[in-house]
mmCIF file of all heavy atoms in Angstrom:
data_model
loop_
_atom_site.group_PDB
_atom_site.id
_atom_site.type_symbol
_atom_site.label_atom_id
_atom_site.label_comp_id
_atom_site.label_asym_id
_atom_site.label_seq_id
_atom_site.Cartn_x
_atom_site.Cartn_y
_atom_site.Cartn_z
ATOM 1 N N SER A 54 124.729 115.076 114.343
ATOM 2 C CA SER A 54 125.716 114.643 113.348
ATOM 3 C C SER A 54 127.138 114.972 113.806
ATOM 4 O O SER A 54 128.071 114.197 113.574
ATOM 5 C CB SER A 54 125.442 115.307 112.002
ATOM 6 O OG SER A 54 124.224 114.824 111.461
ATOM 7 N N LEU A 56 128.111 115.026 116.860
ATOM 8 C CA LEU A 56 128.383 113.986 117.859
ATOM 9 C C LEU A 56 128.884 112.717 117.168
ATOM 10 O O LEU A 56 129.875 112.109 117.599
ATOM 11 C CB LEU A 56 127.102 113.703 118.647
ATOM 12 C CG LEU A 56 127.215 113.087 120.039
ATOM 13 C CD1 LEU A 56 127.992 113.988 120.977
ATOM 14 C CD2 LEU A 56 125.824 112.829 120.603
ATOM 15 N N ALA A 57 128.232 112.354 116.067
ATOM 16 C CA ALA A 57 128.644 111.169 115.312
ATOM 17 C C ALA A 57 130.043 111.356 114.715
ATOM 18 O O ALA A 57 130.862 110.434 114.720
ATOM 19 C CB ALA A 57 127.634 110.881 114.206
ATOM 20 N N HIS A 58 130.316 112.558 114.212
ATOM 21 C CA HIS A 58 131.626 112.826 113.607
ATOM 22 C C HIS A 58 132.747 112.755 114.641
ATOM 23 O O HIS A 58 133.883 112.402 114.312
ATOM 24 C CB HIS A 58 131.624 114.200 112.939
ATOM 25 C CG HIS A 58 130.704 114.288 111.762
ATOM 26 N ND1 HIS A 58 130.186 115.475 111.311
ATOM 27 C CD2 HIS A 58 130.200 113.324 110.962
ATOM 28 C CE1 HIS A 58 129.401 115.231 110.269
ATOM 29 N NE2 HIS A 58 129.400 113.943 110.040
ATOM 30 N N CYS A 59 132.432 113.095 115.879
ATOM 31 C CA CYS A 59 133.432 112.961 116.948
ATOM 32 C C CYS A 59 133.707 111.487 117.244
ATOM 33 O O CYS A 59 134.850 111.090 117.503
ATOM 34 C CB CYS A 59 132.946 113.654 118.221
ATOM 35 S SG CYS A 59 132.825 115.456 118.089
ATOM 36 N N ILE A 60 132.667 110.667 117.171
ATOM 37 C CA ILE A 60 132.821 109.243 117.468
ATOM 38 C C ILE A 60 133.641 108.544 116.392
ATOM 39 O O ILE A 60 134.509 107.713 116.692
ATOM 40 C CB ILE A 60 131.432 108.573 117.614
ATOM 41 C CG1 ILE A 60 130.717 109.116 118.871
ATOM 42 C CG2 ILE A 60 131.563 107.053 117.706
ATOM 43 C CD1 ILE A 60 129.264 108.668 118.980
ATOM 44 N N ASN A 61 133.377 108.868 115.102
ATOM 45 C CA ASN A 61 134.056 108.125 114.035
ATOM 46 C C ASN A 61 135.351 108.767 113.556
ATOM 47 O O ASN A 61 135.983 108.279 112.626
ATOM 48 C CB ASN A 61 133.108 107.881 112.849
ATOM 49 C CG ASN A 61 132.678 109.161 112.149
ATOM 50 O OD1 ASN A 61 133.298 110.215 112.289
ATOM 51 N ND2 ASN A 61 131.599 109.068 111.390
ATOM 52 N N GLY A 62 135.762 109.888 114.176
ATOM 53 C CA GLY A 62 137.068 110.461 113.874
ATOM 54 C C GLY A 62 137.085 111.514 112.786
ATOM 55 O O GLY A 62 138.136 112.114 112.523
ATOM 56 N N LEU A 63 135.944 111.767 112.117
ATOM 57 C CA LEU A 63 135.923 112.863 111.142
ATOM 58 C C LEU A 63 136.287 114.182 111.820
ATOM 59 O O LEU A 63 136.873 115.068 111.211
ATOM 60 C CB LEU A 63 134.535 112.964 110.486
ATOM 61 C CG LEU A 63 134.220 111.904 109.428
ATOM 62 C CD1 LEU A 63 132.811 112.102 108.899
ATOM 63 C CD2 LEU A 63 135.230 111.950 108.292
ATOM 64 N N ILE A 64 135.900 114.282 113.099
ATOM 65 C CA ILE A 64 136.393 115.355 113.961
ATOM 66 C C ILE A 64 137.420 114.719 114.890
ATOM 67 O O ILE A 64 137.095 113.753 115.590
ATOM 68 C CB ILE A 64 135.248 115.991 114.787
ATOM 69 C CG1 ILE A 64 134.272 116.726 113.859
ATOM 70 C CG2 ILE A 64 135.797 116.941 115.846
ATOM 71 C CD1 ILE A 64 133.036 117.269 114.575
ATOM 72 N N LEU A 88 143.397 108.253 113.027
ATOM 73 C CA LEU A 88 142.145 107.963 112.340
ATOM 74 C C LEU A 88 142.069 106.480 111.985
ATOM 75 O O LEU A 88 140.994 105.862 112.051
ATOM 76 C CB LEU A 88 142.022 108.823 111.074
ATOM 77 C CG LEU A 88 140.721 108.676 110.266
ATOM 78 C CD1 LEU A 88 139.508 108.996 111.115
ATOM 79 C CD2 LEU A 88 140.760 109.566 109.025
ATOM 80 N N ILE A 91 140.998 104.610 115.082
ATOM 81 C CA ILE A 91 139.567 104.823 115.344
ATOM 82 C C ILE A 91 138.726 103.977 114.395
ATOM 83 O O ILE A 91 137.718 103.368 114.799
ATOM 84 C CB ILE A 91 139.207 106.317 115.217
ATOM 85 C CG1 ILE A 91 139.882 107.112 116.337
ATOM 86 C CG2 ILE A 91 137.687 106.525 115.253
ATOM 87 C CD1 ILE A 91 139.708 108.616 116.220
ATOM 88 N N SER A 92 139.141 103.898 113.117
ATOM 89 C CA SER A 92 138.366 103.151 112.124
ATOM 90 C C SER A 92 138.355 101.651 112.421
ATOM 91 O O SER A 92 137.483 100.930 111.927
ATOM 92 C CB SER A 92 138.928 103.404 110.721
ATOM 93 O OG SER A 92 140.175 102.757 110.547
ATOM 94 N N LYS A 93 139.317 101.179 113.213
ATOM 95 C CA LYS A 93 139.337 99.777 113.592
ATOM 96 C C LYS A 93 138.333 99.479 114.708
ATOM 97 O O LYS A 93 138.027 98.310 114.979
ATOM 98 C CB LYS A 93 140.744 99.366 114.051
ATOM 99 C CG LYS A 93 141.763 99.323 112.927
ATOM 100 C CD LYS A 93 141.364 98.287 111.892
ATOM 101 C CE LYS A 93 142.305 98.254 110.717
ATOM 102 N NZ LYS A 93 141.811 97.329 109.671
ATOM 103 N N THR A 94 137.848 100.526 115.355
ATOM 104 C CA THR A 94 136.859 100.368 116.426
ATOM 105 C C THR A 94 135.465 100.772 115.967
ATOM 106 O O THR A 94 134.473 100.128 116.316
ATOM 107 C CB THR A 94 137.260 101.219 117.647
ATOM 108 O OG1 THR A 94 138.532 100.787 118.119
ATOM 109 C CG2 THR A 94 136.242 101.087 118.769
ATOM 110 N N VAL A 95 135.377 101.843 115.163
ATOM 111 C CA VAL A 95 134.079 102.399 114.752
ATOM 112 C C VAL A 95 133.906 102.268 113.242
ATOM 113 O O VAL A 95 134.734 102.747 112.464
ATOM 114 C CB VAL A 95 133.963 103.889 115.141
ATOM 115 C CG1 VAL A 95 132.586 104.437 114.735
ATOM 116 C CG2 VAL A 95 134.185 104.077 116.633
ATOM 117 N N GLY A 96 132.829 101.599 112.819
ATOM 118 C CA GLY A 96 132.473 101.517 111.411
ATOM 119 C C GLY A 96 131.231 102.343 111.153
ATOM 120 O O GLY A 96 130.250 102.237 111.891
ATOM 121 N N THR A 97 131.262 103.188 110.116
ATOM 122 C CA THR A 97 130.152 104.103 109.839
ATOM 123 C C THR A 97 129.471 103.747 108.528
ATOM 124 O O THR A 97 130.137 103.558 107.510
ATOM 125 C CB THR A 97 130.657 105.560 109.748
ATOM 126 O OG1 THR A 97 131.360 105.883 110.945
ATOM 127 C CG2 THR A 97 129.494 106.521 109.571
ATOM 128 N N VAL A 98 128.145 103.654 108.567
ATOM 129 C CA VAL A 98 127.339 103.491 107.360
ATOM 130 C C VAL A 98 126.689 104.844 107.084
ATOM 131 O O VAL A 98 125.863 105.309 107.854
ATOM 132 C CB VAL A 98 126.269 102.394 107.526
ATOM 133 C CG1 VAL A 98 125.420 102.271 106.256
ATOM 134 C CG2 VAL A 98 126.929 101.056 107.848
ATOM 135 N N LEU A 99 127.109 105.477 105.986
ATOM 136 C CA LEU A 99 126.682 106.840 105.698
ATOM 137 C C LEU A 99 125.253 106.907 105.201
ATOM 138 O O LEU A 99 124.696 105.942 104.669
ATOM 139 C CB LEU A 99 127.601 107.467 104.638
ATOM 140 C CG LEU A 99 129.081 107.624 105.005
ATOM 141 C CD1 LEU A 99 129.866 108.131 103.805
ATOM 142 C CD2 LEU A 99 129.239 108.566 106.183
ATOM 143 N N GLN A 100 124.652 108.098 105.365
ATOM 144 C CA GLN A 100 123.316 108.365 104.848
ATOM 145 C C GLN A 100 123.289 108.215 103.331
ATOM 146 O O GLN A 100 122.368 107.636 102.757
ATOM 147 C CB GLN A 100 122.904 109.786 105.232
ATOM 148 C CG GLN A 100 121.601 110.267 104.613
ATOM 149 C CD GLN A 100 121.347 111.728 104.930
ATOM 150 O OE1 GLN A 100 122.037 112.324 105.745
ATOM 151 N NE2 GLN A 100 120.356 112.309 104.298
ATOM 152 N N ASP A 101 124.306 108.735 102.662
ATOM 153 C CA ASP A 101 124.420 108.678 101.214
ATOM 154 C C ASP A 101 125.344 107.514 100.861
ATOM 155 O O ASP A 101 126.559 107.646 100.857
ATOM 156 C CB ASP A 101 124.986 109.999 100.682
ATOM 157 C CG ASP A 101 125.088 110.034 99.164
ATOM 158 O OD1 ASP A 101 124.650 109.062 98.521
ATOM 159 O OD2 ASP A 101 125.603 111.040 98.635
ATOM 160 N N SER A 102 124.770 106.336 100.562
ATOM 161 C CA SER A 102 125.575 105.140 100.306
ATOM 162 C C SER A 102 126.534 105.335 99.141
ATOM 163 O O SER A 102 127.653 104.809 99.152
ATOM 164 C CB SER A 102 124.655 103.943 100.021
ATOM 165 O OG SER A 102 123.864 103.635 101.140
ATOM 166 N N ALA A 104 128.313 107.725 98.376
ATOM 167 C CA ALA A 104 129.539 108.412 98.788
ATOM 168 C C ALA A 104 130.510 107.475 99.497
ATOM 169 O O ALA A 104 131.640 107.850 99.782
ATOM 170 C CB ALA A 104 129.188 109.589 99.697
ATOM 171 N N GLN A 105 130.072 106.248 99.771
ATOM 172 C CA GLN A 105 130.886 105.321 100.554
ATOM 173 C C GLN A 105 131.558 104.250 99.691
ATOM 174 O O GLN A 105 132.440 103.537 100.147
ATOM 175 C CB GLN A 105 130.007 104.643 101.624
ATOM 176 C CG GLN A 105 130.774 103.935 102.727
ATOM 177 C CD GLN A 105 129.970 103.819 103.998
ATOM 178 O OE1 GLN A 105 128.890 104.374 104.109
ATOM 179 N NE2 GLN A 105 130.488 103.119 104.984
ATOM 180 N N PHE A 106 131.137 104.132 98.426
ATOM 181 C CA PHE A 106 131.658 103.056 97.589
ATOM 182 C C PHE A 106 133.036 103.391 97.031
ATOM 183 O O PHE A 106 133.287 104.500 96.585
ATOM 184 C CB PHE A 106 130.686 102.748 96.437
ATOM 185 C CG PHE A 106 129.378 102.177 96.908
ATOM 186 C CD1 PHE A 106 128.171 102.668 96.437
ATOM 187 C CD2 PHE A 106 129.361 101.140 97.821
ATOM 188 C CE1 PHE A 106 126.973 102.149 96.872
ATOM 189 C CE2 PHE A 106 128.163 100.610 98.271
ATOM 190 C CZ PHE A 106 126.960 101.114 97.787
ATOM 191 N N ASP A 114 134.429 96.226 96.916
ATOM 192 C CA ASP A 114 134.112 97.268 97.874
ATOM 193 C C ASP A 114 134.145 96.724 99.309
ATOM 194 O O ASP A 114 134.681 97.356 100.216
ATOM 195 C CB ASP A 114 132.739 97.870 97.562
ATOM 196 C CG ASP A 114 132.516 99.182 98.278
ATOM 197 O OD1 ASP A 114 133.046 100.207 97.809
ATOM 198 O OD2 ASP A 114 131.854 99.179 99.329
ATOM 199 N N LYS A 158 122.336 98.718 98.356
ATOM 200 C CA LYS A 158 123.498 99.586 98.579
ATOM 201 C C LYS A 158 123.794 99.711 100.067
ATOM 202 O O LYS A 158 124.951 99.685 100.493
ATOM 203 C CB LYS A 158 123.250 100.966 97.973
ATOM 204 C CG LYS A 158 123.304 101.018 96.456
ATOM 205 C CD LYS A 158 123.023 102.426 95.950
ATOM 206 C CE LYS A 158 123.102 102.485 94.430
ATOM 207 N NZ LYS A 158 122.801 103.850 93.920
ATOM 208 N N GLN A 159 122.729 99.851 100.854
ATOM 209 C CA GLN A 159 122.936 100.005 102.285
ATOM 210 C C GLN A 159 123.517 98.731 102.902
ATOM 211 O O GLN A 159 124.383 98.785 103.781
ATOM 212 C CB GLN A 159 121.611 100.367 102.961
ATOM 213 C CG GLN A 159 121.783 100.910 104.362
ATOM 214 C CD GLN A 159 120.499 101.468 104.893
ATOM 215 O OE1 GLN A 159 119.561 100.724 105.127
ATOM 216 N NE2 GLN A 159 120.431 102.764 105.089
ATOM 217 N N VAL A 161 125.464 96.597 101.359
ATOM 218 C CA VAL A 161 126.866 96.535 100.957
ATOM 219 C C VAL A 161 127.708 97.469 101.816
ATOM 220 O O VAL A 161 128.819 97.110 102.247
ATOM 221 C CB VAL A 161 127.015 96.880 99.461
ATOM 222 C CG1 VAL A 161 128.492 97.006 99.074
ATOM 223 C CG2 VAL A 161 126.333 95.825 98.598
ATOM 224 N N SER A 162 127.203 98.674 102.077
ATOM 225 C CA SER A 162 127.921 99.611 102.952
ATOM 226 C C SER A 162 128.126 99.015 104.334
ATOM 227 O O SER A 162 129.195 99.148 104.940
ATOM 228 C CB SER A 162 127.147 100.934 103.069
ATOM 229 O OG SER A 162 127.053 101.577 101.824
ATOM 230 N N LEU A 163 127.092 98.349 104.838
ATOM 231 C CA LEU A 163 127.183 97.706 106.151
ATOM 232 C C LEU A 163 128.221 96.578 106.122
ATOM 233 O O LEU A 163 129.040 96.454 107.036
ATOM 234 C CB LEU A 163 125.811 97.165 106.558
ATOM 235 C CG LEU A 163 125.722 96.373 107.861
ATOM 236 C CD1 LEU A 163 126.255 97.186 109.040
ATOM 237 C CD2 LEU A 163 124.281 95.938 108.121
ATOM 238 N N ALA A 164 128.211 95.786 105.052
ATOM 239 C CA ALA A 164 129.186 94.697 104.939
ATOM 240 C C ALA A 164 130.609 95.235 104.911
ATOM 241 O O ALA A 164 131.526 94.643 105.487
ATOM 242 C CB ALA A 164 128.912 93.886 103.672
ATOM 243 N N GLY A 165 130.801 96.400 104.260
ATOM 244 C CA GLY A 165 132.128 96.992 104.152
ATOM 245 C C GLY A 165 132.728 97.393 105.482
ATOM 246 O O GLY A 165 133.958 97.404 105.642
ATOM 247 N N VAL A 166 131.885 97.711 106.462
ATOM 248 C CA VAL A 166 132.421 98.045 107.792
ATOM 249 C C VAL A 166 132.428 96.824 108.713
ATOM 250 O O VAL A 166 133.282 96.706 109.590
ATOM 251 C CB VAL A 166 131.642 99.213 108.445
ATOM 252 C CG1 VAL A 166 131.792 100.463 107.616
ATOM 253 C CG2 VAL A 166 130.179 98.883 108.648
ATOM 254 N N MET A 167 131.490 95.888 108.497
ATOM 255 C CA MET A 167 131.451 94.688 109.336
ATOM 256 C C MET A 167 132.627 93.760 109.080
ATOM 257 O O MET A 167 133.056 93.031 109.971
ATOM 258 C CB MET A 167 130.145 93.925 109.095
ATOM 259 C CG MET A 167 128.922 94.536 109.736
ATOM 260 S SD MET A 167 127.449 93.584 109.318
ATOM 261 C CE MET A 167 127.887 91.959 109.922
ATOM 262 N N VAL A 168 133.163 93.784 107.857
ATOM 263 C CA VAL A 168 134.234 92.859 107.509
ATOM 264 C C VAL A 168 135.477 93.101 108.356
ATOM 265 O O VAL A 168 136.308 92.207 108.540
ATOM 266 C CB VAL A 168 134.556 92.983 105.995
ATOM 267 C CG1 VAL A 168 135.362 94.241 105.700
ATOM 268 C CG2 VAL A 168 135.259 91.738 105.476
ATOM 269 N N ASP A 169 135.599 94.291 108.911
ATOM 270 C CA ASP A 169 136.741 94.636 109.762
ATOM 271 C C ASP A 169 136.492 94.292 111.230
ATOM 272 O O ASP A 169 137.327 94.582 112.091
ATOM 273 C CB ASP A 169 137.042 96.142 109.632
ATOM 274 C CG ASP A 169 138.510 96.398 109.360
ATOM 275 O OD1 ASP A 169 139.265 95.420 109.221
ATOM 276 O OD2 ASP A 169 138.897 97.565 109.291
ATOM 277 N N VAL A 171 134.463 95.543 113.619
ATOM 278 C CA VAL A 171 134.535 96.720 114.487
ATOM 279 C C VAL A 171 133.699 96.517 115.747
ATOM 280 O O VAL A 171 132.819 95.660 115.797
ATOM 281 C CB VAL A 171 134.056 97.981 113.734
ATOM 282 C CG1 VAL A 171 135.005 98.343 112.611
ATOM 283 C CG2 VAL A 171 132.635 97.786 113.188
ATOM 284 N N SER A 172 133.970 97.340 116.763
ATOM 285 C CA SER A 172 133.257 97.244 118.043
ATOM 286 C C SER A 172 132.028 98.140 118.094
ATOM 287 O O SER A 172 131.156 97.949 118.941
ATOM 288 C CB SER A 172 134.194 97.628 119.195
ATOM 289 O OG SER A 172 135.337 96.811 119.201
ATOM 290 N N VAL A 173 131.974 99.142 117.193
ATOM 291 C CA VAL A 173 130.851 100.087 117.160
ATOM 292 C C VAL A 173 130.370 100.223 115.719
ATOM 293 O O VAL A 173 131.172 100.459 114.806
ATOM 294 C CB VAL A 173 131.264 101.492 117.684
ATOM 295 C CG1 VAL A 173 130.077 102.456 117.617
ATOM 296 C CG2 VAL A 173 131.801 101.394 119.109
ATOM 297 N N LEU A 174 129.068 100.060 115.514
ATOM 298 C CA LEU A 174 128.456 100.297 114.208
ATOM 299 C C LEU A 174 127.615 101.563 114.297
ATOM 300 O O LEU A 174 126.682 101.636 115.095
ATOM 301 C CB LEU A 174 127.579 99.109 113.796
ATOM 302 C CG LEU A 174 128.313 97.829 113.393
ATOM 303 C CD1 LEU A 174 127.333 96.674 113.243
ATOM 304 C CD2 LEU A 174 129.089 98.031 112.097
ATOM 305 N N LEU A 175 127.974 102.551 113.491
ATOM 306 C CA LEU A 175 127.324 103.854 113.528
ATOM 307 C C LEU A 175 126.547 104.056 112.229
ATOM 308 O O LEU A 175 127.127 104.022 111.139
ATOM 309 C CB LEU A 175 128.381 104.944 113.703
ATOM 310 C CG LEU A 175 127.920 106.403 113.735
ATOM 311 C CD1 LEU A 175 127.012 106.658 114.927
ATOM 312 C CD2 LEU A 175 129.131 107.332 113.787
ATOM 313 N N PHE A 176 125.231 104.268 112.332
ATOM 314 C CA PHE A 176 124.373 104.446 111.163
ATOM 315 C C PHE A 176 123.889 105.892 111.117
ATOM 316 O O PHE A 176 123.195 106.360 112.019
ATOM 317 C CB PHE A 176 123.168 103.502 111.227
ATOM 318 C CG PHE A 176 123.533 102.047 111.151
ATOM 319 C CD1 PHE A 176 123.864 101.338 112.295
ATOM 320 C CD2 PHE A 176 123.562 101.394 109.932
ATOM 321 C CE1 PHE A 176 124.213 99.998 112.234
ATOM 322 C CE2 PHE A 176 123.906 100.049 109.857
ATOM 323 C CZ PHE A 176 124.236 99.353 111.002
ATOM 324 N N ASP A 177 124.255 106.597 110.036
ATOM 325 C CA ASP A 177 123.887 107.999 109.878
ATOM 326 C C ASP A 177 122.638 108.103 108.998
ATOM 327 O O ASP A 177 122.702 107.922 107.784
ATOM 328 C CB ASP A 177 125.051 108.770 109.235
ATOM 329 C CG ASP A 177 124.786 110.268 109.149
ATOM 330 O OD1 ASP A 177 123.761 110.738 109.684
ATOM 331 O OD2 ASP A 177 125.602 110.974 108.547
ATOM 332 N N GLU A 178 121.479 108.341 109.610
ATOM 333 C CA GLU A 178 120.191 108.447 108.926
ATOM 334 C C GLU A 178 119.992 107.326 107.906
ATOM 335 O O GLU A 178 119.900 107.551 106.698
ATOM 336 C CB GLU A 178 120.050 109.827 108.269
ATOM 337 C CG GLU A 178 120.138 110.946 109.283
ATOM 338 C CD GLU A 178 119.311 112.166 108.897
ATOM 339 O OE1 GLU A 178 118.377 112.047 108.091
ATOM 340 O OE2 GLU A 178 119.618 113.244 109.410
ATOM 341 N N PRO A 179 119.910 106.092 108.369
ATOM 342 C CA PRO A 179 119.833 104.944 107.456
ATOM 343 C C PRO A 179 118.543 104.859 106.649
ATOM 344 O O PRO A 179 118.474 104.098 105.686
ATOM 345 C CB PRO A 179 119.957 103.748 108.406
ATOM 346 C CG PRO A 179 119.459 104.243 109.725
ATOM 347 C CD PRO A 179 119.904 105.676 109.793
ATOM 348 N N ALA A 205 128.408 97.583 119.712
ATOM 349 C CA ALA A 205 127.457 98.631 120.082
ATOM 350 C C ALA A 205 126.896 99.211 118.787
ATOM 351 O O ALA A 205 127.630 99.425 117.825
ATOM 352 C CB ALA A 205 128.152 99.718 120.894
ATOM 353 N N ILE A 207 124.781 102.376 117.117
ATOM 354 C CA ILE A 207 124.301 103.739 117.310
ATOM 355 C C ILE A 207 123.609 104.180 116.022
ATOM 356 O O ILE A 207 124.207 104.159 114.946
ATOM 357 C CB ILE A 207 125.452 104.707 117.642
ATOM 358 C CG1 ILE A 207 126.180 104.248 118.915
ATOM 359 C CG2 ILE A 207 124.940 106.132 117.810
ATOM 360 C CD1 ILE A 207 127.433 105.056 119.222
ATOM 361 N N ILE A 208 122.350 104.564 116.131
ATOM 362 C CA ILE A 208 121.568 105.003 114.981
ATOM 363 C C ILE A 208 121.287 106.499 115.128
ATOM 364 O O ILE A 208 120.724 106.936 116.141
ATOM 365 C CB ILE A 208 120.242 104.231 114.874
ATOM 366 C CG1 ILE A 208 120.505 102.719 114.795
ATOM 367 C CG2 ILE A 208 119.432 104.698 113.664
ATOM 368 C CD1 ILE A 208 119.249 101.871 114.905
ATOM 369 N N ILE A 209 121.696 107.281 114.132
ATOM 370 C CA ILE A 209 121.401 108.714 114.099
ATOM 371 C C ILE A 209 120.191 108.890 113.186
ATOM 372 O O ILE A 209 120.272 108.620 111.990
ATOM 373 C CB ILE A 209 122.586 109.540 113.539
ATOM 374 C CG1 ILE A 209 123.906 109.156 114.215
ATOM 375 C CG2 ILE A 209 122.297 111.031 113.643
ATOM 376 C CD1 ILE A 209 124.034 109.570 115.631
#
Side-chain angles (χ1 to χ4, degrees):
S54 293
L56 203 61
H58 294 157
C59 293
I60 293 171
N61 65 18
L63 284 178
I64 293 174
L88 183 58
I91 293 174
S92 72
K93 290 298 177 186
T94 300
V95 181
T97 305
V98 179
L99 298 174
Q100 173 186 350
D101 182 4
S102 297
Q105 195 155 353
F106 294 132
D114 195 79
K158 287 179 179 179
Q159 196 170 67
V161 172
S162 297
L163 176 56
V166 297
M167 284 178 57
V168 76
D169 230 3
V171 293
S172 303
V173 179
L174 288 170
L175 179 63
F176 295 87
D177 185 6
E178 300 211 21
I207 301 173
I208 303 171
I209 311 290

